[in-house]
Amino acid sequence: MKLSLAEENYLKAVYHLSAEGETEVSTNAIAEEMQTKAASVSDMMRRLSEKELVHYKKYQGVRISNDGARAALQVVRKHRLWEVFLVEKLKFSWDQVHEIAEQLEHIKSPLLIKRLDEFLGHPKYDPHGDPIPDENGEFKEKPQIPLSSTNLNDDGIVVAVKDTSPVFLQHLDRIGIYLGAKIKTIEKTEFDGSMEILIDQKNKLFISKEVAQNVLVTN
Amino acid sequence: MKLSLAEENYLKAVYHLSAEGETEVSTNAIAEEMQTKAASVSDMMRRLSEKELVHYKKYQGVRISNDGARAALQVVRKHRLWEVFLVEKLKFSWDQVHEIAEQLEHIKSPLLIKRLDEFLGHPKYDPHGDPIPDENGEFKEKPQIPLSSTNLNDDGIVVAVKDTSPVFLQHLDRIGIYLGAKIKTIEKTEFDGSMEILIDQKNKLFISKEVAQNVLVTN
DNA sequence: TTTAATTTTTAGTTTAATCTAAATTTAGTT
DNA sequence: AACTAAATTTAGATTAAACTAAAAATTAAA
Ligand SMILES: [Mn+2]
Ligand SMILES: [Mn+2]
Ligand SMILES: [Mn+2]
Ligand SMILES: [Mn+2]
């Protein structure tokens, strides 16, 4: 089944939203995610459900189907492989790659993706710490918790970021937080959720609640 | 000026056709090149001429404008850089890359192309021997003549192919003709235009007129 | 220089994807 | 249970890009 660019983008949105929260995804949530209008979403959901890529009952929200998830995962795979390529080979920074990968993910050529994957050495994670599905859509997410819910004196390694927007990533660059950094929790402020942390056993740093909630670490 | 995928493809077709033959390109020639119908071409030419990308007077054919040529050359640049990437980095063969490059050439990101060009070491020619325009659209074609019009005992290096279709390229692979091969003309048959040649001072080979006309050599 | 053949353009449809505005359904609240 | 607010769907338009069939212009032939 060959999908249009728009269909692929909608499928990906439904997949991401149902992966995050509940199984039933609302029309409005999709419209929000896609920067489009609810009316357009209703229309597309009707079409996707005719192709059996989503389960859809009017006014009841949508759920991704098995076929739909498979298709979405292939797009996600391509997106993340391209992001790795851009960072590892073309020296882009992690805040620059998402927008370009949004275009590259729609290139149709199974052989291209196979070769790209080989060229990159079969990477398992993208520059934001998100797992890359294999040819069968299988992947393993690293165990991860928000920095904000670590305990005092806990040591952790930064493995991913929840927010992947350029502004947030640039902020992390500025304050010196990066994937792989070793972080010890020194102090947690009840009042505003801010924290004091130690990076790589060297640099003490105050971070806001917003930062702490969007940096994911593992022990 | 941002162009749609369709507009870019039409512009490229007009550019290629006017680069080859005359300055005035016919509606039918474009339709042929694009695998579409003349009616669709008329429609698109009207729109492109409103944007001043082509000069167009009804029933008189079209000529690419300066702006149009500039835009077309950027698409050609991207196409050929991606072809180099696919062959040099992803180990595709020269007959497999055109179709994929047709998709990749429409990715919009000046920085991506700048970085790709650097990553590839600023290549001057693509896998078919075609010159790669620089950021300003400038390029230099190697002096080249069809193998069919060389003289007896002439020595030449294969620098490009005129026909870049997969079947032709696969045929060249099979008989052992490749970019950079040294070719000496041993015999030319008046009757059918076939030739006998010597490749790399080692292998004698008979080739058809069709092959001889589509292999371009330089001295 | 008429006529015939060919090329090109126009007119009218179609499809995908979007939008606004209006209608409908569901959910929440007296 | 009735009403209101919010969410969702439908109806109707719009735009880009394609097509077919018909009309118009150009070119070639008689
Ligand atoms: Mn991304
Ligand atoms: Mn990512
Ligand atoms: Mn090509
Ligand atoms: Mn080429």
Side-chain angles (χ1 to χ4, degrees):
Chain A
M1 174 125 34
K2 45 175 180 275
L3 303 175
S4 74
L5 189 144
E7 288 171 327
E8 287 190 342
N9 281 334
Y10 275 99
L11 266 188
K12 202 166 51 115
V14 175
Y15 174 81
H16 278 139
L17 289 169
S18 41
E20 277 305 306
E22 302 73 75
T23 46
E24 299 290 314
V25 179
S26 78
T27 302
N28 263 352
I30 298 167
E32 164 84 4
E33 173 97 354
M34 306 263 315
Q35 308 262 66
T36 184
K37 297 299 157 68
S40 309
V41 175
S42 285
D43 216 47
M44 182 57 94
M45 290 310 116
R46 187 179 45 67
R47 276 141 59 199
L48 288 180
S49 82
E50 273 165 20
K51 297 190 175 188
E52 316 225 26
L53 295 166
V54 297
H55 301 292
Y56 173 55
K57 283 201 281 297
K58 282 184 201 172
Y59 295 100
Q60 304 301 119
V62 292
R63 201 158 37 80
I64 195 116
S65 74
N66 287 347
D67 284 358
R70 190 179 17 247
L73 278 163
Q74 284 315 304
V75 179
V76 169
R77 169 172 165 75
K78 290 191 278 180
H79 182 103
R80 292 179 181 166
L81 281 173
W82 281 116
E83 285 190 344
V84 172
F85 168 71
L86 294 172
V87 167
E88 296 292 314
K89 303 294 182 179
L90 298 196
K91 306 303 171 202
F92 279 84
S93 52
W94 66 345
D95 61 297
Q96 297 178 305
V97 297
H98 181 73
E99 205 187 308
I100 302 176
E102 282 296 312
Q103 298 180 61
L104 286 165
E105 71 187 5
H106 302 291
I107 302 292
K108 265 95 176 171
S109 168
L111 183 55
L112 172 61
I113 296 310
K114 183 166 175 290
R115 292 284 171 84
L116 181 63
D117 185 41
E118 286 166 9
F119 181 59
L120 299 173
H122 307 288
K124 296 277 170 295
Y125 299 94
D126 84 358
H128 313 105
D130 292 313
I132 300 176
D134 67 19
E135 319 77 47
N136 307 310
E138 318 268 350
F139 63 90
K140 198 166 86 269
E141 198 155 10
K142 281 187 183 147
Q144 52 186 217
I145 55 169
L147 187 47
S148 54
S149 43
T150 55
N151 297 314
L152 270 193
N153 293 316
D154 270 6
D155 264 319
I157 304 288
V158 179
V159 288
V161 288
K162 198 153 165 196
D163 181 352
T164 60
S165 68
V167 277
F168 179 62
L169 297 174
Q170 283 160 18
H171 180 63
L172 292 184
D173 285 343
R174 189 141 28 84
I175 65 182
I177 293 181
Y178 58 94
L179 246 54
K182 191 171 187 179
I183 292 189
K184 170 176 246 163
T185 302
I186 298 177
E187 179 86 55
K188 299 178 74 171
T189 308
E190 190 70 32
F191 164 61
D192 60 359
S194 70
M195 298 174 71
E196 189 178 11
I197 61 177
L198 183 68
I199 303 183
D200 293 331
Q201 287 149 331
K202 286 211 296 280
N203 310 314
K204 266 196 206 167
L205 185 66
F206 281 100
I207 59 173
S208 69
K209 178 178 64 179
E210 284 73 22
V211 168
Q213 289 174 334
N214 283 292
V215 171
L216 305 172
V217 299
T218 193
N219 306 87
Chain B
M1 173 123 36
K2 44 175 182 277
L3 303 175
S4 73
L5 188 145
E7 289 172 327
E8 287 189 343
N9 281 334
Y10 275 99
L11 266 187
K12 202 165 53 114
V14 175
Y15 174 80
H16 278 140
L17 289 169
S18 43
E20 278 304 306
E22 300 73 76
T23 46
E24 300 289 315
V25 180
S26 78
T27 302
N28 264 351
I30 298 167
E32 164 85 5
E33 174 98 354
M34 307 262 317
Q35 308 262 65
T36 186
K37 297 298 157 68
S40 309
V41 175
S42 284
D43 217 47
M44 183 57 94
M45 289 310 116
R46 187 179 43 69
R47 276 142 58 199
L48 288 180
S49 82
E50 273 165 21
K51 297 190 174 185
E52 317 226 24
L53 295 165
V54 297
H55 301 292
Y56 173 54
K57 283 203 280 301
K58 283 184 202 175
Y59 296 100
Q60 304 302 120
V62 291
R63 201 158 37 81
I64 196 114
S65 74
N66 287 348
D67 284 359
R70 188 174 25 241
L73 277 163
Q74 284 314 304
V75 179
V76 169
R77 169 171 166 75
K78 290 191 279 180
H79 181 105
R80 292 179 181 166
L81 282 173
W82 281 116
E83 285 190 343
V84 172
F85 169 72
L86 294 172
V87 167
E88 296 292 315
K89 303 294 182 180
L90 299 196
K91 306 304 170 201
F92 278 84
S93 52
W94 66 346
D95 61 299
Q96 298 177 305
V97 297
H98 180 75
E99 205 186 308
I100 302 176
E102 282 295 311
Q103 297 180 60
L104 287 164
E105 71 187 6
H106 301 291
I107 303 291
K108 264 94 175 171
S109 168
L111 183 55
L112 172 61
I113 296 309
K114 183 165 173 291
R115 292 285 171 84
L116 181 64
D117 184 42
E118 287 165 9
F119 181 58
L120 298 172
H122 306 290
K124 296 277 171 294
Y125 299 93
D126 84 359
H128 313 104
D130 291 314
I132 300 176
D134 67 19
E135 319 77 48
N136 307 311
E138 317 268 349
F139 63 92
K140 197 167 86 268
E141 199 156 11
K142 280 187 183 148
Q144 53 187 215
I145 56 168
L147 187 48
S148 55
S149 43
T150 55
N151 297 314
L152 271 193
N153 292 317
D154 271 6
D155 264 319
I157 304 288
V158 179
V159 289
V161 288
K162 198 150 164 198
D163 181 351
T164 61
S165 69
V167 278
F168 179 62
L169 298 174
Q170 284 159 19
H171 180 64
L172 292 185
D173 285 342
R174 189 144 26 83
I175 64 181
I177 293 181
Y178 58 93
L179 246 55
K182 191 171 186 177
I183 292 188
K184 171 176 242 157
T185 302
I186 298 177
E187 179 84 54
K188 300 178 74 171
T189 308
E190 189 70 32
F191 164 62
D192 61 359
S194 70
M195 298 175 70
E196 188 178 11
I197 61 177
L198 182 69
I199 304 183
D200 294 331
Q201 287 147 331
K202 284 212 297 281
N203 310 314
K204 265 195 204 167
L205 184 67
F206 280 100
I207 59 173
S208 69
K209 178 177 66 179
E210 285 73 21
V211 169
Q213 289 174 333
N214 283 291
V215 171
L216 305 171
V217 299
T218 193
N219 306 84

